[in-house]
Amino acid sequence: MTSPLALVADIGGTHARFALVDDGEILHATVLRCADYEGPAAAAKAFLASNASDRSPRRAAFAVASAIVGDRVELTNSPWRFSIGATRDALGLESLEVVNDFTAVALSVRHLTPDHLLAIGGGTAEPGCPIAVLGPGTGLGVSALVPGLGGVWSALAAEGGHVTMAAATDREAEILGWLRRRFDHVSAERVLSGQGLVNLYQALSALSNRQAVFSTPDVITQRGLDGSCAVSREAVETFFAMMGTVAGNLALSVGARGGVFIAGGILPRMAEAFRLSGFRARFEEHGRFQPYLAAIPTWLIVHPLPAFIGLAAIAAPSENA
């Protein structure tokens, strides 16, 4: 018996990625710019029109960069606002499941293969223990996968990217102090995201009595990695180290002895620099619990669309994440 065709979408602050799921296979993955469409229904219709099939999807699962509370969804870093029910009806679907984007990534991690992962540091995953998932992109996504009775795993719908960022060094305290004068609250996302990298660069420029001449994360990353700008280099190094702080805090908070997976659109593009950075040392630098964290493995997810793997499990009625 052929399973129903399903529609999946990973909707971020800048891009919406769509695909079809047919018998567990992910087909026609397409990236659309959110700014080109009024909302997810219009974008989904454009995607379906360009990938015509003799079958229409009956089920769908969308991952969005936002907390999901009730029927109304408001994306944190995008002007898109939509009703889940109205979107389901507009697309002629029997069901539409909408989850946080990192809930979908969390549901994918147990299905990733070694070629989708870059190990950073040592440690060995303990079977049956919680798994932490986080990653920077337009925002900072955070989730965790926890085991339950009967071998069923559940992904937490968390908003850990908005926890208060802590300083681990005097220099970081200066950076966060400068940012606090600019923002009401300096969350982890304020420094660990695309705009967060710009914020770090601007703070470090001011603290170094230099003019901030770059305004995009891509340029700051390039200048930092090639060493042509000392402030950009420090911004990138600080970004990596602060990722270690937040990842270590998350691992301690959820008891992630099953490992920590890092996703998002930023770090896979500079995977080798991240692997060689101060991330892992900072991850372990948590005082008396350094040995506890040293035993936990950390991986960078290099699969281009891990959320689709989790969404396929949600959208396909026979699948069990």
Side-chain angles (χ1 to χ4, degrees):
M1 179 179 176
T2 303
S3 64
L5 189 69
L7 171 69
V8 294
D10 180 15
I11 301 170
T14 306
H15 296 102
R17 297 164 176 85
F18 290 89
L20 294 171
V21 179
D22 193 2
D23 283 331
E25 186 178 1
I26 297 171
L27 306 171
H28 309 303
T30 302
V31 181
L32 302 178
R33 283 181 50 83
C34 294
D36 294 339
Y37 301 91
E38 293 182 355
K45 287 179 179 179
F47 164 76
L48 292 171
S50 64
N51 293 280
S53 170
D54 57 355
R55 291 184 294 153
S56 297
R58 292 162 46 192
R59 300 169 59 90
F62 290 0
V64 300
S66 175
I68 311 301
V69 181
D71 176 73
R72 192 74 183 168
V73 177
E74 299 187 3
L75 275 76
T76 305
N77 295 296
S78 167
W80 277 10
R81 307 286 185 268
F82 67 95
S83 157
I84 297 173
T87 301
R88 179 196 63 222
D89 295 344
L91 295 174
L93 299 167
E94 294 177 2
S95 68
L96 169 60
E97 296 289 334
V98 179
V99 299
N100 177 267
D101 56 345
F102 265 74
T103 299
V105 174
L107 289 171
S108 78
V109 298
R110 295 179 60 250
H111 305 290
L112 296 174
T113 58
D115 60 314
H116 295 148
L117 302 170
L118 175 65
I120 301 176
T124 302
E126 292 289 340
C129 289
I131 295 168
V133 185
L134 73 163
T138 304
L140 176 63
V142 173
S143 185
L145 200 63
V146 295
L149 296 176
V152 176
W153 290 74
S154 299
L156 302 183
E159 289 297 326
H162 301 286
V163 300
T164 303
M165 187 66 211
T169 67
D170 290 342
R171 183 62 161 172
E172 289 180 5
E174 292 178 333
I175 293 168
L176 295 179
W178 189 90
L179 290 173
R180 271 194 295 271
R181 292 189 289 274
R182 179 178 175 186
F183 300 109
D184 292 336
H185 175 241
V186 183
S187 65
E189 183 173 284
R190 289 291 192 191
V191 293
L192 298 176
S193 60
Q195 182 57 45
L197 183 57
V198 177
N199 292 340
L200 286 174
Y201 167 77
Q202 292 175 340
L204 287 165
S205 295
L207 293 170
S208 302
N209 295 315
R210 298 188 183 186
Q211 182 178 359
V213 295
F214 307 130
S215 59
T216 65
D218 289 345
V219 173
I220 294 166
T221 298
Q222 178 185 347
R223 295 284 188 162
L225 293 180
D226 67 19
S228 61
C229 171
V231 176
S232 295
R233 183 175 65 248
E234 186 178 2
V236 172
E237 291 171 349
T238 302
F239 186 94
F240 291 156
M242 285 182 161
M243 275 298 304
T245 294
V246 173
N249 287 347
L250 179 61
L252 290 172
S253 296
V254 302
R257 294 168 58 222
V260 175
F261 291 80
I262 300 163
I266 294 176
L267 294 173
R269 290 181 288 178
M270 44 180 166
E272 187 62 12
F274 183 57
R275 185 182 71 84
L276 297 173
S277 75
F279 162 80
R280 179 68 193 198
R282 179 65 69 80
F283 173 81
E284 296 182 13
E285 288 172 4
H286 281 71
R288 292 171 293 170
F289 270 71
Q290 188 276 338
Y292 180 95
L293 289 168
I296 295 176
T298 52
W299 295 280
L300 176 65
I301 298 175
V302 294
H303 188 287
L305 295 168
F308 280 177
I309 298 174
L311 290 169
I314 297 171
S318 60
E319 293 287 338
N320 183 358

